[in-house]
Amino acid sequence: MENLVRTALAGLVVTGSLLAVSPVSAAEKHAHGEGQLKLAIEGNKVVIELTAPGSDIVGFEHKPSLDADRKAVAAAAAMLKDGGALFAFPDKAGCKMQEADVHSEMLHDDKHKHGDGDHAEFEVHYSFSCATPSALTHVDVGYFKAFPRAHELEVQMITQKGQGAAELTASSSRLTF
């Protein structure tokens, strides 16, 4: 049953992604300071996909070659993996993070080139389970406090109330459903 819910939620996130399809390629859309957040709520499950330029997260986008760069990438990945610190749902909703998967070519030490190595991004998939989904009215996004180089997140969401879009910034970081 849980795999069915994950598949359905993944489909919702993909469907939300399709809302932003345009003739502009991903490489052309990449802008420092600007990330994307996709959120889907179905039943008691919340799935979030966060995509951000490496410059927003660690201050550079190249493959780390220095120890200090590798340590910065590892520390950032650990911060990104802590979805409970980055996303605060109403206490009444009783949401608990189930998993977080962090992906970036900056995390790989292999010598094979993956994508555009000069514009590396972080992509993180979060899954939350909420005891009282009817109490899901908003989420406070701590992303800007954790990563002060970031300036905005373009948000697409699908909830029981329908589809929506928003822009979050450090001074306006609450996403209301």
Side-chain angles (χ1 to χ4, degrees), residues 77-105:
M79 289 173 66
L80 286 166
K81 200 165 182 85
D82 188 2
L86 294 178
F87 302 102
F89 296 96
D91 288 340
K92 291 179 182 178
C95 297
K96 304 283 185 215
M97 190 176 79
Q98 301 300 303
E99 65 180 306
D101 295 314
V102 179
H103 302 280
S104 175
E105 59 192 58

Side-chain angles (χ1 to χ4, degrees), residues 142-153:
Y143 171 76
F144 300 101
K145 289 180 184 171
F147 304 104
R149 290 180 192 91
H151 299 293
E152 69 180 55
L153 284 173

Side-chain angles (χ1 to χ4, degrees), residues 3-175:
N3 285 338
L4 181 62
V5 171
R6 283 187 190 169
T7 301
L9 289 173
L12 285 174
V13 172
V14 169
T15 302
S17 299
L18 294 176
L19 296 174
V21 171
S22 71
V24 178
S25 74
E28 292 169 328
K29 282 180 64 173
H30 179 97
H32 297 178
E34 298 176 16
Q36 291 82 40
L37 186 140
K38 295 177 179 79
L39 178 140
I41 301 173
E42 184 177 328
N44 69 334
K45 300 291 183 187
V46 179
V47 172
I48 297 173
E49 178 185 296
L50 172 68
T51 305
S55 63
D56 291 10
I57 304 299
V58 293
F60 56 88
E61 295 185 339
H62 58 272
K63 293 256 287 183
S65 57
L66 303 173
D67 280 342
D69 288 352
R70 281 190 284 275
K71 287 179 182 174
V73 169
M79 289 173 66
L80 286 166
K81 200 165 182 85
D82 188 2
L86 294 178
F87 302 102
F89 296 96
D91 288 340
K92 291 179 182 178
C95 297
K96 304 283 185 215
M97 190 176 79
Q98 301 300 303
E99 65 180 306
D101 295 314
V102 179
H103 302 280
S104 175
E105 59 192 58
M106 297 173 87
L107 292 168
H108 302 289
D109 286 330
D110 62 22
K111 294 183 172 53
H112 297 79
K113 185 171 175 126
H114 300 283
D116 186 352
D118 294 330
H119 295 285
E121 295 181 326
F122 283 84
E123 186 175 294
V124 192
H125 300 271
Y126 302 94
S127 176
F128 295 86
S129 179
C130 303
T132 310
S134 61
L136 283 171
T137 56
H138 68 274
V139 60
D140 290 316
V141 180
Y143 171 76
F144 300 101
K145 289 180 184 171
F147 304 104
R149 290 180 192 91
H151 299 293
E152 69 180 55
L153 284 173
E154 293 295 329
V155 178
Q156 295 177 10
M157 63 182 156
I158 299 174
T159 70
Q160 290 86 344
K161 295 179 183 176
Q163 300 177 3
E167 181 179 291
L168 299 178
T169 62
S171 62
S172 179
S173 60
R174 175 171 281 189
L175 179 61

